Amino acid sequence: MALAHEDLEQIRKLIREEVDARISPVQATVRHDLELRERLVRLEEELKHQRELMEHGFRLMEQRFEQVEKRFEQIEKRMALMENRMELMEKRMELMETRMDSLERHMESWEARFERFMRWSFATTLTVGGLVVAAIKYLP
């Protein structure tokens, strides 16, 4: 029994479909595995790149912290200088207070002398005035 050309074509078609149906999932799995591997490689590269960026960012942050620390040290030095200046100003103020006390004592002494002088001057003026009035009144 010989098969007709159409029958052979039909059988070939069925065999191809069957073979494609059986091979296709294997190829799809292999292709899928290759895609997954490629994705994993890209993912690993991206993660490596992200890690490098993070390390760079951390280095920059560390440098920034060092700069901030230096600024704080400078501020502390300035504060120490200001404290020294304040202490000097306090000493100067104490010296000025001492001088002012001395000047006040001197002024009080001078005021007391001036007050005595004014009393003496007033008493002298009254005495001389009285003598002049008495001399004018009792002298012919």
Side-chain angles (χ1 to χ4, degrees), residues 10 38 53 57 69 83 87 110 115 133 136:
Q10 177 107 12
E38 288 175 8
L53 286 175
E69 193 172 315
E83 286 178 10
E87 289 175 3
W110 186 80
E115 191 174 316
V133 168
I136 291 176

PDB file of all heavy atoms in Angstrom, residues 10 38 53 57 69 83 87 110 115 133 136:
ATOM      1  N   GLN A  10       0.868  15.241   4.808  1.00  0.00           N
ATOM      2  CA  GLN A  10       0.086  15.322   6.040  1.00  0.00           C
ATOM      3  C   GLN A  10       0.873  14.714   7.206  1.00  0.00           C
ATOM      4  O   GLN A  10       0.888  15.257   8.298  1.00  0.00           O
ATOM      5  CB  GLN A  10      -1.249  14.580   5.858  1.00  0.00           C
ATOM      6  CG  GLN A  10      -2.060  14.579   7.111  1.00  0.00           C
ATOM      7  CD  GLN A  10      -3.235  15.510   7.020  1.00  0.00           C
ATOM      8  OE1 GLN A  10      -3.573  15.998   5.954  1.00  0.00           O
ATOM      9  NE2 GLN A  10      -3.841  15.762   8.153  1.00  0.00           N
ATOM     10  N   GLU A  38      21.338  36.381  31.726  1.00  0.00           N
ATOM     11  CA  GLU A  38      21.691  37.727  31.284  1.00  0.00           C
ATOM     12  C   GLU A  38      21.168  38.778  32.261  1.00  0.00           C
ATOM     13  O   GLU A  38      21.868  39.731  32.605  1.00  0.00           O
ATOM     14  CB  GLU A  38      21.140  37.991  29.884  1.00  0.00           C
ATOM     15  CG  GLU A  38      21.860  37.241  28.789  1.00  0.00           C
ATOM     16  CD  GLU A  38      21.208  37.446  27.424  1.00  0.00           C
ATOM     17  OE1 GLU A  38      20.293  38.295  27.304  1.00  0.00           O
ATOM     18  OE2 GLU A  38      21.624  36.757  26.483  1.00  0.00           O
ATOM     19  N   LEU A  53      28.809  53.543  43.952  1.00  0.00           N
ATOM     20  CA  LEU A  53      28.239  54.872  44.178  1.00  0.00           C
ATOM     21  C   LEU A  53      28.020  55.139  45.670  1.00  0.00           C
ATOM     22  O   LEU A  53      28.300  56.229  46.168  1.00  0.00           O
ATOM     23  CB  LEU A  53      26.909  55.018  43.429  1.00  0.00           C
ATOM     24  CG  LEU A  53      27.000  55.183  41.921  1.00  0.00           C
ATOM     25  CD1 LEU A  53      25.608  55.202  41.312  1.00  0.00           C
ATOM     26  CD2 LEU A  53      27.738  56.459  41.564  1.00  0.00           C
ATOM     27  N   GLY A  57      29.674  57.953  47.920  1.00  0.00           N
ATOM     28  CA  GLY A  57      28.854  58.852  48.731  1.00  0.00           C
ATOM     29  C   GLY A  57      29.293  58.853  50.187  1.00  0.00           C
ATOM     30  O   GLY A  57      29.354  59.908  50.835  1.00  0.00           O
ATOM     31  N   GLU A  69      33.856  69.029  61.452  1.00  0.00           N
ATOM     32  CA  GLU A  69      34.630  68.870  62.685  1.00  0.00           C
ATOM     33  C   GLU A  69      35.710  69.948  62.790  1.00  0.00           C
ATOM     34  O   GLU A  69      35.923  70.534  63.856  1.00  0.00           O
ATOM     35  CB  GLU A  69      35.254  67.475  62.712  1.00  0.00           C
ATOM     36  CG  GLU A  69      35.820  67.077  64.053  1.00  0.00           C
ATOM     37  CD  GLU A  69      36.241  65.620  64.067  1.00  0.00           C
ATOM     38  OE1 GLU A  69      35.484  64.770  63.584  1.00  0.00           O
ATOM     39  OE2 GLU A  69      37.347  65.364  64.570  1.00  0.00           O
ATOM     40  N   GLU A  83      36.761  84.092  75.397  1.00  0.00           N
ATOM     41  CA  GLU A  83      36.774  83.968  76.854  1.00  0.00           C
ATOM     42  C   GLU A  83      37.978  84.702  77.440  1.00  0.00           C
ATOM     43  O   GLU A  83      37.853  85.401  78.452  1.00  0.00           O
ATOM     44  CB  GLU A  83      36.799  82.494  77.262  1.00  0.00           C
ATOM     45  CG  GLU A  83      35.488  81.779  77.062  1.00  0.00           C
ATOM     46  CD  GLU A  83      35.563  80.302  77.423  1.00  0.00           C
ATOM     47  OE1 GLU A  83      36.571  79.863  78.004  1.00  0.00           O
ATOM     48  OE2 GLU A  83      34.594  79.604  77.106  1.00  0.00           O
ATOM     49  N   GLU A  87      37.902  87.854  79.972  1.00  0.00           N
ATOM     50  CA  GLU A  87      38.640  87.903  81.233  1.00  0.00           C
ATOM     51  C   GLU A  87      39.487  89.171  81.311  1.00  0.00           C
ATOM     52  O   GLU A  87      39.536  89.832  82.357  1.00  0.00           O
ATOM     53  CB  GLU A  87      39.520  86.665  81.380  1.00  0.00           C
ATOM     54  CG  GLU A  87      38.747  85.386  81.638  1.00  0.00           C
ATOM     55  CD  GLU A  87      39.635  84.146  81.652  1.00  0.00           C
ATOM     56  OE1 GLU A  87      40.871  84.286  81.509  1.00  0.00           O
ATOM     57  OE2 GLU A  87      39.076  83.047  81.780  1.00  0.00           O
ATOM     58  N   TRP A 110      38.551 116.504  98.125  1.00  0.00           N
ATOM     59  CA  TRP A 110      38.562 117.846  97.540  1.00  0.00           C
ATOM     60  C   TRP A 110      37.288 118.600  97.914  1.00  0.00           C
ATOM     61  O   TRP A 110      37.329 119.785  98.238  1.00  0.00           O
ATOM     62  CB  TRP A 110      38.701 117.744  96.024  1.00  0.00           C
ATOM     63  CG  TRP A 110      38.865 119.074  95.359  1.00  0.00           C
ATOM     64  CD1 TRP A 110      40.004 119.793  95.262  1.00  0.00           C
ATOM     65  CD2 TRP A 110      37.835 119.846  94.745  1.00  0.00           C
ATOM     66  NE1 TRP A 110      39.774 120.969  94.608  1.00  0.00           N
ATOM     67  CE2 TRP A 110      38.438 121.028  94.272  1.00  0.00           C
ATOM     68  CE3 TRP A 110      36.479 119.656  94.535  1.00  0.00           C
ATOM     69  CZ2 TRP A 110      37.714 122.008  93.610  1.00  0.00           C
ATOM     70  CZ3 TRP A 110      35.777 120.641  93.867  1.00  0.00           C
ATOM     71  CH2 TRP A 110      36.396 121.805  93.424  1.00  0.00           C
ATOM     72  N   GLU A 115      34.605 122.735 100.877  1.00  0.00           N
ATOM     73  CA  GLU A 115      33.573 123.117 101.833  1.00  0.00           C
ATOM     74  C   GLU A 115      34.199 123.907 103.001  1.00  0.00           C
ATOM     75  O   GLU A 115      33.664 124.941 103.437  1.00  0.00           O
ATOM     76  CB  GLU A 115      32.874 121.867 102.355  1.00  0.00           C
ATOM     77  CG  GLU A 115      31.619 122.145 103.143  1.00  0.00           C
ATOM     78  CD  GLU A 115      30.892 120.868 103.518  1.00  0.00           C
ATOM     79  OE1 GLU A 115      30.774 119.978 102.650  1.00  0.00           O
ATOM     80  OE2 GLU A 115      30.463 120.779 104.679  1.00  0.00           O
ATOM     81  N   VAL A 133      31.491 147.727 108.825  1.00  0.00           N
ATOM     82  CA  VAL A 133      30.251 148.403 109.260  1.00  0.00           C
ATOM     83  C   VAL A 133      30.485 149.056 110.602  1.00  0.00           C
ATOM     84  O   VAL A 133      30.069 150.196 110.871  1.00  0.00           O
ATOM     85  CB  VAL A 133      29.071 147.400 109.323  1.00  0.00           C
ATOM     86  CG1 VAL A 133      27.876 147.980 110.031  1.00  0.00           C
ATOM     87  CG2 VAL A 133      28.704 146.931 107.927  1.00  0.00           C
ATOM     88  N   ILE A 136      32.631 152.116 110.217  1.00  0.00           N
ATOM     89  CA  ILE A 136      31.913 153.240 109.599  1.00  0.00           C
ATOM     90  C   ILE A 136      30.935 153.832 110.636  1.00  0.00           C
ATOM     91  O   ILE A 136      30.778 155.050 110.747  1.00  0.00           O
ATOM     92  CB  ILE A 136      31.160 152.776 108.342  1.00  0.00           C
ATOM     93  CG1 ILE A 136      32.147 152.425 107.265  1.00  0.00           C
ATOM     94  CG2 ILE A 136      30.177 153.846 107.858  1.00  0.00           C
ATOM     95  CD1 ILE A 136      31.543 151.879 106.016  1.00  0.00           C
TER      96      ILE A 136
END
